[in-house]
Amino acid sequence: MKSIRLIYILRVLCLLLIGSTLHAQGKKVELIKEDGTVMEGYAKFYTKSFSYRADENESFKRFKMLDFETIRIFSEDNDTKTYKRIKVDNRKKPKMLILLVEGPVSLYLEERQIYSSGYGAGLGVSGNTGQGIGGTSYSYSRLYLKRNNNQNAIHIGSVSKKKFKGVITNYFKDCPDLVKKVDAGEYSKKELKEIVEFYNNKCK
């Protein structure tokens, strides 16, 4: 029994050690500037910035996320999260948005988790910043649509369910088949990803 318990403890310690090593190294990334320059290495992400180094022999250097056109973050399960610098209607500064669907119409996500009212509290991006003592947290997300021939994206996530059908049918009015499906109630507000994919595959 003691030997089984010891093995279990050792496994837990190994997992903790691996986790702390990965955190110290940072996440594997590919950074692309507006001029096409590509930087590969490891990064630790914060609110609107990140620390980057090309390999473990270098020191981390701080960059702003908006300094880059594209940021790709790779994970161990081969899942890639891609951030794009996108201009948004009614905003002077662009936003770094997560690419969900890419095509003639692209769908983007703005995702934030905010920590407040506690010692050491801060705002985290992609789960990198921990919560301080006594802090509280909340998160929010916003969805944006952008056509390839349009410089700016529009915020669509805050549209009420009542107005959603009218907004979507107007945005995709160049695709009668999709408009019919939305009017018939085949797509809801929660299925915006499916709506965009239908448009890109059937209406382009």
Side-chain angles (χ1 to χ4, degrees), residues 98-103 105-108 193-194 196-197 200:
I98 301 169
L99 177 64
L100 298 181
V101 179
E102 188 171 27
V105 171
S106 295
L107 178 64
Y108 295 92
K193 184 174 183 288
E194 288 76 10
V196 175
E197 288 174 340
N200 289 340

Side-chain angles (χ1 to χ4, degrees), residues 145 147 156 159 162-185 187 192 195 199:
L145 291 173
R147 291 182 179 271
I156 197 73
V159 176
K162 188 176 182 179
K163 295 182 179 180
F164 178 76
K165 184 182 292 187
V167 172
I168 290 299
T169 53
N170 181 64
Y171 191 86
F172 293 104
K173 60 186 177 183
D174 57 330
C175 181
D177 289 342
L178 178 55
V179 170
K180 288 179 183 178
K181 287 181 175 293
V182 174
D183 280 336
Y187 289 116
L192 187 56
I195 291 173
Y199 180 87

Side-chain angles (χ1 to χ4, degrees), residues 26-49:
K27 295 183 177 182
K28 187 176 180 181
V29 295
E30 180 183 67
L31 314 172
I32 302 175
K33 292 185 176 182
E34 191 172 359
D35 63 2
T37 301
V38 178
M39 298 165 56
E40 295 181 345
Y42 301 88
K44 299 176 185 179
F45 289 87
Y46 309 103
T47 308
K48 298 178 181 180
S49 63

